[in-house]
Short mmCIF file of all heavy atoms in Angstrom, two decimals:
data_model
loop_
_atom_site.label_atom_id
_atom_site.label_comp_id
_atom_site.label_asym_id
_atom_site.label_seq_id
_atom_site.Cartn_x
_atom_site.Cartn_y
_atom_site.Cartn_z
N ASN A 15 -36.55 -11.01 -3.00
CA ASN A 15 -35.91 -9.72 -2.90
C ASN A 15 -36.92 -8.63 -2.53
O ASN A 15 -38.11 -8.81 -2.57
CB ASN A 15 -35.20 -9.35 -4.23
CG ASN A 15 -36.17 -9.15 -5.39
OD1 ASN A 15 -37.23 -8.57 -5.22
ND2 ASN A 15 -35.78 -9.62 -6.55
N GLU A 16 -36.42 -7.48 -2.09
CA GLU A 16 -37.29 -6.43 -1.58
C GLU A 16 -38.24 -5.91 -2.61
O GLU A 16 -39.37 -5.56 -2.33
CB GLU A 16 -36.46 -5.28 -1.01
CG GLU A 16 -37.34 -4.23 -0.38
CD GLU A 16 -36.63 -3.36 0.60
OE1 GLU A 16 -35.66 -3.83 1.21
OE2 GLU A 16 -37.03 -2.21 0.74
N GLY A 17 -37.83 -5.89 -3.90
CA GLY A 17 -38.73 -5.44 -4.96
C GLY A 17 -40.01 -6.25 -5.06
O GLY A 17 -41.10 -5.75 -5.24
N SER A 18 -39.89 -7.56 -4.87
CA SER A 18 -41.06 -8.41 -4.91
C SER A 18 -41.97 -8.24 -3.71
O SER A 18 -43.17 -8.37 -3.79
CB SER A 18 -40.67 -9.89 -5.06
OG SER A 18 -39.94 -10.31 -3.94
N LEU A 19 -41.39 -7.85 -2.57
CA LEU A 19 -42.22 -7.60 -1.37
C LEU A 19 -43.13 -6.39 -1.55
O LEU A 19 -44.27 -6.39 -1.10
CB LEU A 19 -41.33 -7.39 -0.13
CG LEU A 19 -40.61 -8.63 0.38
CD1 LEU A 19 -39.72 -8.26 1.57
CD2 LEU A 19 -41.59 -9.69 0.79
N THR A 20 -42.61 -5.35 -2.17
CA THR A 20 -43.42 -4.14 -2.34
C THR A 20 -44.52 -4.32 -3.39
O THR A 20 -45.39 -3.50 -3.51
CB THR A 20 -42.56 -2.94 -2.70
OG1 THR A 20 -41.85 -3.20 -3.91
CG2 THR A 20 -41.57 -2.60 -1.60
N GLN A 21 -44.48 -5.42 -4.14
CA GLN A 21 -45.52 -5.70 -5.13
C GLN A 21 -46.64 -6.59 -4.57
O GLN A 21 -47.50 -7.04 -5.33
CB GLN A 21 -44.89 -6.33 -6.37
CG GLN A 21 -43.96 -5.36 -7.09
CD GLN A 21 -43.31 -5.97 -8.28
OE1 GLN A 21 -43.80 -6.94 -8.83
NE2 GLN A 21 -42.19 -5.43 -8.71
N ILE A 22 -46.65 -6.82 -3.28
CA ILE A 22 -47.73 -7.61 -2.68
C ILE A 22 -49.04 -6.88 -2.88
O ILE A 22 -49.15 -5.67 -2.68
CB ILE A 22 -47.47 -7.84 -1.18
CG1 ILE A 22 -46.35 -8.84 -1.01
CG2 ILE A 22 -48.71 -8.26 -0.44
CD1 ILE A 22 -46.01 -9.12 0.43
N ASP A 23 -50.08 -7.65 -3.27
CA ASP A 23 -51.42 -7.10 -3.47
C ASP A 23 -52.08 -7.01 -2.07
O ASP A 23 -52.36 -8.04 -1.48
CB ASP A 23 -52.24 -7.98 -4.38
CG ASP A 23 -53.59 -7.40 -4.70
OD1 ASP A 23 -54.02 -6.41 -4.07
OD2 ASP A 23 -54.27 -7.94 -5.60
N LEU A 24 -52.31 -5.83 -1.58
CA LEU A 24 -52.88 -5.67 -0.26
C LEU A 24 -54.40 -5.78 -0.25
O LEU A 24 -55.03 -5.68 0.79
CB LEU A 24 -52.44 -4.32 0.34
CG LEU A 24 -50.94 -4.27 0.63
CD1 LEU A 24 -50.56 -2.91 1.21
CD2 LEU A 24 -50.51 -5.38 1.57
N ARG A 25 -55.00 -6.08 -1.42
CA ARG A 25 -56.44 -6.33 -1.44
C ARG A 25 -56.77 -7.77 -1.13
O ARG A 25 -57.83 -8.07 -0.61
CB ARG A 25 -57.01 -5.92 -2.82
CG ARG A 25 -56.91 -4.40 -3.06
CD ARG A 25 -57.18 -4.07 -4.48
NE ARG A 25 -56.08 -4.63 -5.25
CZ ARG A 25 -56.06 -4.80 -6.55
NH1 ARG A 25 -57.11 -4.45 -7.27
NH2 ARG A 25 -55.04 -5.31 -7.17
N GLU A 26 -55.83 -8.67 -1.47
CA GLU A 26 -56.07 -10.10 -1.25
C GLU A 26 -54.71 -10.81 -1.21
O GLU A 26 -53.87 -10.63 -2.08
CB GLU A 26 -56.88 -10.66 -2.39
CG GLU A 26 -57.43 -12.03 -2.17
CD GLU A 26 -58.95 -12.03 -2.08
OE1 GLU A 26 -59.60 -11.07 -2.49
OE2 GLU A 26 -59.45 -13.00 -1.55
N GLY A 27 -54.49 -11.65 -0.16
CA GLY A 27 -53.22 -12.34 -0.16
C GLY A 27 -52.96 -13.12 1.11
O GLY A 27 -53.76 -13.10 2.05
N THR A 28 -51.80 -13.75 1.14
CA THR A 28 -51.32 -14.53 2.27
C THR A 28 -49.84 -14.33 2.38
O THR A 28 -49.11 -14.28 1.37
CB THR A 28 -51.60 -16.02 2.08
OG1 THR A 28 -53.01 -16.23 1.95
CG2 THR A 28 -51.07 -16.85 3.21
N ILE A 29 -49.36 -14.25 3.61
CA ILE A 29 -47.93 -14.26 3.85
C ILE A 29 -47.71 -15.30 4.94
O ILE A 29 -48.47 -15.36 5.91
CB ILE A 29 -47.36 -12.89 4.22
CG1 ILE A 29 -45.85 -12.93 4.28
CG2 ILE A 29 -47.95 -12.36 5.52
CD1 ILE A 29 -45.20 -11.55 4.30
N GLU A 30 -46.70 -16.14 4.76
CA GLU A 30 -46.42 -17.16 5.77
C GLU A 30 -44.91 -17.33 5.88
O GLU A 30 -44.17 -17.12 4.92
CB GLU A 30 -47.10 -18.49 5.45
CG GLU A 30 -46.72 -19.10 4.14
CD GLU A 30 -47.45 -20.40 3.89
OE1 GLU A 30 -47.50 -21.27 4.79
OE2 GLU A 30 -48.01 -20.55 2.80
N PHE A 31 -44.47 -17.72 7.06
CA PHE A 31 -43.05 -17.86 7.33
C PHE A 31 -42.86 -18.70 8.61
O PHE A 31 -43.80 -18.93 9.38
CB PHE A 31 -42.37 -16.49 7.50
CG PHE A 31 -43.01 -15.62 8.51
CD1 PHE A 31 -42.59 -15.60 9.81
CD2 PHE A 31 -44.09 -14.79 8.15
CE1 PHE A 31 -43.20 -14.79 10.78
CE2 PHE A 31 -44.67 -13.94 9.10
CZ PHE A 31 -44.23 -13.95 10.42
N TRP A 32 -41.65 -19.17 8.78
CA TRP A 32 -41.29 -19.93 10.00
C TRP A 32 -40.42 -19.04 10.90
O TRP A 32 -39.55 -18.32 10.41
CB TRP A 32 -40.49 -21.17 9.64
CG TRP A 32 -41.32 -22.28 9.10
CD1 TRP A 32 -41.63 -22.52 7.78
CD2 TRP A 32 -42.00 -23.29 9.84
NE1 TRP A 32 -42.43 -23.61 7.68
CE2 TRP A 32 -42.69 -24.10 8.93
CE3 TRP A 32 -42.11 -23.57 11.20
CZ2 TRP A 32 -43.45 -25.19 9.33
CZ3 TRP A 32 -42.86 -24.65 11.62
CH2 TRP A 32 -43.52 -25.45 10.68
N VAL A 33 -40.66 -19.13 12.19
CA VAL A 33 -39.76 -18.54 13.18
C VAL A 33 -38.98 -19.73 13.79
O VAL A 33 -39.58 -20.61 14.39
CB VAL A 33 -40.53 -17.76 14.27
CG1 VAL A 33 -39.58 -17.22 15.32
CG2 VAL A 33 -41.35 -16.64 13.66
N ARG A 34 -37.67 -19.71 13.59
CA ARG A 34 -36.86 -20.83 14.06
C ARG A 34 -36.82 -20.87 15.61
O ARG A 34 -37.02 -19.85 16.26
CB ARG A 34 -35.41 -20.70 13.52
CG ARG A 34 -35.39 -20.97 12.04
CD ARG A 34 -34.00 -20.99 11.52
NE ARG A 34 -33.51 -19.59 11.50
CZ ARG A 34 -32.34 -19.22 11.06
NH1 ARG A 34 -31.50 -20.07 10.60
NH2 ARG A 34 -32.03 -17.94 11.03
N LYS A 35 -36.56 -22.04 16.12
CA LYS A 35 -36.49 -22.16 17.59
C LYS A 35 -35.41 -21.27 18.15
O LYS A 35 -34.38 -21.01 17.49
CB LYS A 35 -36.30 -23.60 18.02
CG LYS A 35 -35.00 -24.23 17.67
CD LYS A 35 -34.95 -25.67 18.15
CE LYS A 35 -33.57 -26.25 17.97
NZ LYS A 35 -33.50 -27.58 18.58
N ASN A 36 -35.66 -20.76 19.33
CA ASN A 36 -34.75 -19.90 20.08
C ASN A 36 -34.48 -18.54 19.42
O ASN A 36 -33.50 -17.88 19.75
CB ASN A 36 -33.43 -20.63 20.38
CG ASN A 36 -33.66 -21.87 21.18
OD1 ASN A 36 -34.44 -21.87 22.14
ND2 ASN A 36 -33.00 -22.96 20.82
N LYS A 37 -35.30 -18.15 18.48
CA LYS A 37 -35.15 -16.85 17.84
C LYS A 37 -35.95 -15.76 18.52
O LYS A 37 -35.59 -14.59 18.53
CB LYS A 37 -35.53 -16.89 16.34
CG LYS A 37 -34.54 -17.64 15.48
CD LYS A 37 -33.23 -16.93 15.48
CE LYS A 37 -32.20 -17.67 14.67
NZ LYS A 37 -30.90 -17.00 14.69
N ILE A 38 -37.12 -16.13 19.09
CA ILE A 38 -37.97 -15.17 19.79
C ILE A 38 -38.37 -15.75 21.13
O ILE A 38 -38.80 -16.91 21.19
CB ILE A 38 -39.22 -14.83 18.97
CG1 ILE A 38 -38.86 -14.03 17.72
CG2 ILE A 38 -40.21 -14.01 19.81
CD1 ILE A 38 -40.03 -13.64 16.86
N GLN A 39 -38.27 -14.96 22.17
CA GLN A 39 -38.82 -15.31 23.46
C GLN A 39 -40.21 -14.76 23.50
O GLN A 39 -40.41 -13.55 23.50
CB GLN A 39 -37.95 -14.71 24.59
CG GLN A 39 -38.33 -15.11 25.97
CD GLN A 39 -38.02 -16.55 26.26
OE1 GLN A 39 -37.24 -17.21 25.57
NE2 GLN A 39 -38.61 -17.07 27.30
N TRP A 40 -41.22 -15.62 23.46
CA TRP A 40 -42.59 -15.21 23.22
C TRP A 40 -43.24 -14.52 24.43
O TRP A 40 -44.27 -13.89 24.29
CB TRP A 40 -43.44 -16.40 22.78
CG TRP A 40 -42.96 -16.95 21.47
CD1 TRP A 40 -42.15 -18.04 21.26
CD2 TRP A 40 -43.20 -16.41 20.17
NE1 TRP A 40 -41.92 -18.24 19.95
CE2 TRP A 40 -42.54 -17.24 19.23
CE3 TRP A 40 -43.94 -15.33 19.68
CZ2 TRP A 40 -42.57 -17.01 17.86
CZ3 TRP A 40 -43.97 -15.11 18.32
CH2 TRP A 40 -43.30 -15.94 17.43
N ASN A 41 -42.65 -14.65 25.59
CA ASN A 41 -43.25 -14.05 26.82
C ASN A 41 -42.32 -13.08 27.54
O ASN A 41 -42.43 -12.93 28.74
CB ASN A 41 -43.71 -15.18 27.75
CG ASN A 41 -42.56 -16.05 28.23
OD1 ASN A 41 -41.44 -15.86 27.81
ND2 ASN A 41 -42.86 -16.97 29.08
N ASP A 42 -41.41 -12.43 26.82
CA ASP A 42 -40.44 -11.56 27.47
C ASP A 42 -40.86 -10.09 27.58
O ASP A 42 -40.14 -9.27 28.12
CB ASP A 42 -39.10 -11.64 26.75
CG ASP A 42 -39.15 -11.18 25.30
OD1 ASP A 42 -40.23 -10.73 24.86
OD2 ASP A 42 -38.14 -11.28 24.60
N GLY A 43 -42.04 -9.73 27.06
CA GLY A 43 -42.48 -8.34 27.14
C GLY A 43 -41.75 -7.39 26.20
O GLY A 43 -41.93 -6.16 26.32
N LEU A 44 -40.95 -7.92 25.29
CA LEU A 44 -40.22 -7.08 24.32
C LEU A 44 -40.96 -7.07 22.99
O LEU A 44 -41.70 -7.98 22.66
CB LEU A 44 -38.81 -7.61 24.11
CG LEU A 44 -37.90 -7.60 25.36
CD1 LEU A 44 -36.56 -8.23 25.01
CD2 LEU A 44 -37.74 -6.20 25.93
N ILE A 45 -40.72 -6.02 22.23
CA ILE A 45 -41.32 -5.86 20.91
C ILE A 45 -40.40 -6.49 19.87
O ILE A 45 -39.20 -6.20 19.85
CB ILE A 45 -41.56 -4.39 20.59
CG1 ILE A 45 -42.56 -3.80 21.59
CG2 ILE A 45 -42.07 -4.21 19.16
CD1 ILE A 45 -42.68 -2.28 21.52
N GLN A 46 -40.97 -7.34 19.00
CA GLN A 46 -40.23 -7.96 17.90
C GLN A 46 -41.04 -7.76 16.62
O GLN A 46 -42.12 -8.30 16.48
CB GLN A 46 -40.05 -9.46 18.13
CG GLN A 46 -39.20 -9.81 19.29
CD GLN A 46 -37.71 -9.69 18.96
OE1 GLN A 46 -37.27 -9.86 17.87
NE2 GLN A 46 -36.94 -9.38 19.98
N VAL A 47 -40.50 -6.98 15.69
CA VAL A 47 -41.16 -6.79 14.39
C VAL A 47 -40.81 -7.99 13.50
O VAL A 47 -39.66 -8.28 13.28
CB VAL A 47 -40.74 -5.46 13.73
CG1 VAL A 47 -41.35 -5.36 12.34
CG2 VAL A 47 -41.11 -4.29 14.59
N LEU A 48 -41.86 -8.69 13.00
CA LEU A 48 -41.64 -9.85 12.14
C LEU A 48 -41.85 -9.52 10.67
O LEU A 48 -41.15 -10.03 9.83
CB LEU A 48 -42.58 -10.98 12.58
CG LEU A 48 -42.42 -11.41 14.03
CD1 LEU A 48 -43.48 -12.44 14.41
CD2 LEU A 48 -41.04 -11.96 14.28
N VAL A 49 -42.82 -8.68 10.36
CA VAL A 49 -43.11 -8.29 8.98
C VAL A 49 -43.49 -6.80 8.99
O VAL A 49 -44.28 -6.37 9.81
CB VAL A 49 -44.27 -9.09 8.37
CG1 VAL A 49 -44.64 -8.60 6.99
CG2 VAL A 49 -43.93 -10.59 8.33
N ASN A 50 -42.89 -6.06 8.05
CA ASN A 50 -43.26 -4.65 7.88
C ASN A 50 -43.11 -4.34 6.39
O ASN A 50 -42.01 -4.08 5.90
CB ASN A 50 -42.36 -3.76 8.72
CG ASN A 50 -42.75 -2.33 8.63
OD1 ASN A 50 -43.77 -1.95 8.03
ND2 ASN A 50 -41.97 -1.45 9.26
N ILE A 51 -44.22 -4.39 5.65
CA ILE A 51 -44.19 -4.20 4.20
C ILE A 51 -45.16 -3.09 3.84
O ILE A 51 -46.31 -3.10 4.27
CB ILE A 51 -44.60 -5.48 3.45
CG1 ILE A 51 -43.66 -6.64 3.82
CG2 ILE A 51 -44.63 -5.26 1.94
CD1 ILE A 51 -44.11 -7.99 3.30
N SER A 52 -44.68 -2.13 3.05
CA SER A 52 -45.53 -1.03 2.58
C SER A 52 -45.35 -0.85 1.10
O SER A 52 -44.27 -1.08 0.56
CB SER A 52 -45.14 0.27 3.29
OG SER A 52 -45.36 0.19 4.66
N ASN A 53 -46.44 -0.43 0.43
CA ASN A 53 -46.38 -0.06 -0.96
C ASN A 53 -47.42 1.02 -1.21
O ASN A 53 -47.98 1.58 -0.26
CB ASN A 53 -46.50 -1.26 -1.90
CG ASN A 53 -47.85 -1.95 -1.77
OD1 ASN A 53 -48.85 -1.36 -1.39
ND2 ASN A 53 -47.89 -3.23 -2.14
N GLU A 54 -47.71 1.32 -2.45
CA GLU A 54 -48.65 2.39 -2.78
C GLU A 54 -50.09 2.07 -2.37
O GLU A 54 -50.92 2.96 -2.26
CB GLU A 54 -48.60 2.74 -4.28
CG GLU A 54 -49.13 1.67 -5.23
CD GLU A 54 -48.18 0.50 -5.47
OE1 GLU A 54 -46.97 0.62 -5.13
OE2 GLU A 54 -48.64 -0.54 -5.97
N GLN A 55 -50.41 0.81 -2.09
CA GLN A 55 -51.76 0.43 -1.64
C GLN A 55 -51.94 0.59 -0.14
O GLN A 55 -53.04 0.82 0.34
CB GLN A 55 -52.03 -1.03 -1.99
CG GLN A 55 -52.15 -1.34 -3.47
CD GLN A 55 -52.38 -2.83 -3.69
OE1 GLN A 55 -51.93 -3.67 -2.93
NE2 GLN A 55 -53.10 -3.14 -4.76
N GLY A 56 -50.85 0.41 0.62
CA GLY A 56 -50.94 0.46 2.09
C GLY A 56 -49.83 -0.33 2.71
O GLY A 56 -48.71 -0.32 2.23
N SER A 57 -50.16 -1.09 3.77
CA SER A 57 -49.12 -1.86 4.46
C SER A 57 -49.67 -3.03 5.22
O SER A 57 -50.86 -3.05 5.57
CB SER A 57 -48.31 -0.95 5.39
OG SER A 57 -49.14 -0.41 6.38
N ILE A 58 -48.79 -3.98 5.51
CA ILE A 58 -49.07 -5.07 6.44
C ILE A 58 -47.95 -5.08 7.44
O ILE A 58 -46.78 -4.81 7.08
CB ILE A 58 -49.26 -6.44 5.76
CG1 ILE A 58 -48.06 -6.83 4.92
CG2 ILE A 58 -50.51 -6.45 4.92
CD1 ILE A 58 -48.12 -8.24 4.41
N PHE A 59 -48.31 -5.38 8.67
CA PHE A 59 -47.33 -5.31 9.77
C PHE A 59 -47.70 -6.43 10.72
O PHE A 59 -48.84 -6.57 11.15
CB PHE A 59 -47.50 -3.93 10.44
CG PHE A 59 -46.47 -3.58 11.45
CD1 PHE A 59 -45.15 -3.35 11.07
CD2 PHE A 59 -46.80 -3.45 12.79
CE1 PHE A 59 -44.20 -3.00 12.01
CE2 PHE A 59 -45.85 -3.11 13.76
CZ PHE A 59 -44.54 -2.88 13.35
N ILE A 60 -46.67 -7.25 11.07
CA ILE A 60 -46.86 -8.33 12.05
C ILE A 60 -45.80 -8.13 13.12
O ILE A 60 -44.62 -8.04 12.80
CB ILE A 60 -46.75 -9.73 11.41
CG1 ILE A 60 -47.79 -9.92 10.31
CG2 ILE A 60 -46.90 -10.81 12.49
CD1 ILE A 60 -47.66 -11.20 9.53
N VAL A 61 -46.22 -8.06 14.37
CA VAL A 61 -45.32 -7.79 15.47
C VAL A 61 -45.73 -8.62 16.70
O VAL A 61 -46.88 -8.85 16.94
CB VAL A 61 -45.34 -6.26 15.81
CG1 VAL A 61 -46.71 -5.80 16.25
CG2 VAL A 61 -44.30 -5.90 16.85
#
Side-chain angles (χ1 to χ4, degrees):
N15 66 39
E16 184 159 331
S18 62
L19 289 177
T20 59
Q21 293 179 23
I22 287 180
D23 185 350
L24 294 179
R25 294 168 293 166
E26 192 113 18
T28 299
I29 188 166
E30 60 181 311
F31 54 92
W32 284 91
V33 177
R34 290 185 286 184
K35 68 180 187 173
N36 301 317
K37 289 295 178 182
I38 292 180
Q39 185 70 16
W40 297 100
N41 61 357
D42 61 3
L44 298 177
I45 297 169
Q46 295 281 331
V47 176
L48 302 174
V49 174
N50 184 5
I51 302 171
S52 297
N53 63 25
E54 68 283 345
Q55 293 178 330
S57 61
I58 57 173
F59 190 68
I60 301 173
V61 61

